[in-house]
């Protein structure tokens, strides 16, 4: 069972990370009903792992008996599957039609919840511990002949299997016309959903067979876990893949802008000392504040490039009169001449012009000049 433990740990880790991402998105868009639905689904994964882990070990968790923890786990499974259904119907339909569909889909979910609660209440007290700890699925266990135990496990697995199967069909349908990044994420999600649906179907078949008196070997029960656990991980990764891909691309741009911002420091400092009036905003007060102010990196990057270009435009008439030496040497000489009050005899001229007309290419030319300025004279 070491493999199961590893898979459970992996599922828990991925669920926490994905839930954090979804909660972040939900804070930014609290009125997004589909997002609420899928967030509830991932939250239920976390909920079921906690209470299910306590039940399988026979622990009293938060003052709750193992059978109550198992009941909470299974009710959470129903809520998670229903949340997944809500995600798809609110994504595909207009709000009034989605609400009507949501009410219809709530009926089987509520019926399943009633069956779960009833099965626990009607279950003989002497069997509740064994039912919670899955004693009937362990080696050496006797035949499963209690309908209440069968109902406790067949009901949520059947409901979730149907929900995952429907979600698989909807996901494949939406993936056909999606752009490449979203299509890849949906392909991963659909693969995970197919595995989860198969795992749930296996649990249903194995439980019904055992209850019917068929000699089902105990080693066959974990097969459903080997489908369900990796499937849930693949589903969660696929679901957040488009957002994660987009955010990673944004982080790369953020890191590039931050690096260029600091690389321009030698050029910007030299020009700012001579032309402080060209500053577009307040200069960061400290390096730590500059580093930690993540949201303003792009703004400071654009500001620094523009300020450097404005300064070069001001000093460019003096560069034309100092034609010898490198651009860095001519720039120093031109700034010295400007500071000395020497009148310029030329009009402004282009300096460090990039080959293409975009801001990043302009920044690269300015970085090259800044590097020359940082070299010893």
């Amino acid at each position: 069972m070491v493999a199961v433990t590893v898979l459970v740990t992996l599922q828990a880790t991925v669920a926490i990370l994905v839930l954090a991402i979804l909660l972040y998105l939900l804070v930014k868009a609290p009125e997004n009903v589909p997002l609420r639905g899928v967030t509830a689904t991932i939250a239920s994964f976390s909920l079921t792992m906690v209470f299910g882990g306590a039940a399988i070990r026979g622990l009293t968790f938060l003052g709750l008996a193992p059978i109550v923890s198992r009941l909470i786990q299974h009710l959470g499974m129903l809520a998670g599957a229903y949340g997944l259904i809500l995600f798809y119907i609110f994504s595909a339909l207009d709000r009034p039609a989605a609400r009507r569909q949501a009410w219809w889909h709530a009926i089987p979910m509520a019926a399943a919840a009633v069956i779960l609660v009833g099965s626990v209440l009607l279950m003989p007290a002497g069997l509740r511990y064994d039912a919670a700890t899955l004693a009937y699925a362990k080696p050496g266990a006797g035949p499963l002949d209690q309908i209440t135990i069968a109902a406790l496990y067949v009901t949520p697995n059947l409901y979730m299997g149907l929900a995952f199967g429907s979600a698989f069909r909807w996901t494949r349908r939406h993936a056909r016309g999606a752009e490449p990044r979203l299509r890849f994420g949906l392909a991963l999600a659909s693969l995970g959903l197919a595995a989860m649906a198969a795992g749930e179907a296996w649990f249903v078949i194995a439980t019904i067979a055992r209850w019917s008196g068929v000699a089902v070997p105990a080693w066959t029960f974990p097969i459903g876990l080997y489908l369900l656990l990796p499937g849930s991980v693949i589903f969660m990764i696929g679901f957040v893949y488009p957002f994660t891909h987009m955010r990673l691309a944004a982080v790369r741009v953020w890191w590039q802008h931050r690096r260029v911002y600091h690389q321009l420091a030698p050029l910007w400092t030299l020009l700012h000392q001579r032309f402080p009036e060209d500053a577009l905003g307040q200069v960061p007060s400290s390096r730590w504040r500059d580093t930690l102010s993540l949201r303003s990196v792009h703004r400071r990057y654009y500001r620094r490039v523009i300020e450097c270009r404005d300064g070069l435009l001001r000093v460019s008439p003096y560069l034309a009169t100092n034609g010898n030496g490198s651009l860095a040497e001519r720039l120093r000489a031109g700034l010295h001449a400007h500071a000395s009050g020497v009148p310029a005899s030329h009009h402004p001229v282009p300096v460090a012009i990039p080959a293409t007309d975009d801001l990043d290419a302009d920044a690269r030319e300015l970085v090259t000049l800044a590097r020359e300025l940082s070299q010893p004279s």
Side-chain angles (χ1 to χ4, degrees):
M1 297 295 287
V2 175
V4 173
T5 302
V6 172
L7 289 173
V8 169
T9 303
L10 178 62
Q11 184 198 39
T13 303
V14 174
I16 291 172
L17 292 175
V18 172
L19 184 59
I21 292 173
L22 293 176
L23 288 174
Y24 166 77
L25 294 175
L26 193 58
V27 168
K28 296 182 67 175
E31 301 302 321
N32 189 323
V33 178
L35 184 58
R36 289 185 203 169
V38 76
T39 302
T41 298
I42 305 304
S44 78
F45 285 168
S46 305
L47 178 73
T48 57
M49 283 183 287
V50 173
F51 285 93
I56 194 71
R57 292 173 176 83
L59 303 176
T60 299
F61 180 65
L62 299 177
L64 303 174
I67 192 63
V68 178
S69 292
R70 184 65 73 183
L71 176 61
I72 293 174
Q73 178 203 18
H74 288 183
L75 291 174
M77 292 165 63
L78 297 182
Y82 182 65
L84 189 62
I85 292 172
L86 289 182
F87 169 77
Y88 283 99
I89 63 176
F90 276 93
S91 297
L93 304 175
D94 60 81
R95 187 63 65 87
R99 284 201 186 100
R100 289 192 297 270
Q101 287 292 320
W103 280 110
W104 280 112
H105 282 282
I107 295 174
M109 196 260 304
V114 170
I115 293 173
L116 286 178
V117 174
S119 66
V120 171
L121 293 177
L122 296 175
M123 188 181 298
L127 295 179
R128 289 178 179 176
Y129 182 86
D130 288 344
T133 57
L134 291 173
Y136 72 90
K138 295 177 181 177
L144 174 63
D145 57 1
Q146 266 293 327
I147 185 63
T148 53
I149 298 178
L152 178 63
Y153 287 96
V154 169
T155 302
N157 288 325
L158 180 60
Y159 183 81
M160 290 190 74
L162 293 174
F164 292 151
S166 299
F168 169 80
R169 187 178 70 253
W170 291 329
T171 302
R172 296 306 304 163
R173 183 186 306 166
H174 291 316
R176 295 191 188 112
E179 52 91 15
R181 182 179 62 233
L182 179 58
R183 186 165 61 246
F184 180 76
L186 290 175
L188 280 180
S190 64
L191 178 62
L193 286 167
M196 288 194 292
E200 298 292 359
W202 181 268
F203 283 135
V204 170
I205 293 171
T207 303
I208 292 177
R210 189 70 182 271
W211 175 73
S212 302
V214 177
V216 180
W219 61 266
T220 62
F221 282 93
I223 292 177
L225 290 176
Y226 293 134
L227 291 168
L228 186 62
L229 294 176
S232 66
V233 171
I234 294 172
F235 163 72
M236 289 186 287
I237 292 175
F239 200 88
V240 299
Y241 172 80
F243 168 79
T244 305
H245 186 277
M246 181 179 65
R247 296 308 301 172
L248 288 176
V251 168
R252 285 195 296 270
V253 174
W254 173 85
W255 181 255
Q256 176 188 355
H257 285 181
R258 182 181 178 277
R259 186 178 69 249
V260 171
Y261 172 82
H262 290 293
Q263 289 174 336
L264 288 175
L267 174 61
W268 179 86
T269 301
L270 198 63
L271 294 171
H272 181 70
Q273 289 173 346
R274 182 85 295 271
F275 309 113
E277 64 274 13
D278 286 345
L280 298 177
Q282 184 179 0
V283 179
S285 59
S286 70
R287 185 177 181 84
W288 279 108
R289 184 175 179 182
D290 177 38
T291 301
L292 297 175
S293 182
L294 304 182
R295 291 185 176 182
S296 63
V297 164
H298 301 303
R299 175 179 56 82
R300 288 176 292 148
Y301 161 78
Y302 297 134
R303 185 186 65 195
R304 179 155 288 190
V305 171
I306 294 170
E307 289 174 355
C308 287
R309 184 55 68 186
D310 289 344
L312 288 177
L313 180 64
R314 282 178 174 270
V315 77
S316 65
Y318 293 88
L319 304 187
T321 60
N322 296 277
N324 298 323
S326 66
L327 180 56
E329 293 171 341
R330 291 160 51 204
L331 177 59
R332 289 193 180 95
L335 288 171
H336 179 72
H338 183 277
S340 301
V342 177
S345 56
H346 293 78
H347 295 292
V349 295
V351 180
I353 300 302
T356 57
D357 188 18
D358 65 87
L359 190 65
D360 289 337
D362 198 10
R364 287 192 291 271
E365 290 294 328
L366 295 176
V367 166
T368 300
L369 177 55
R371 286 172 178 165
E372 292 180 12
L373 289 169
S374 64
Q375 299 299 321
S377 302

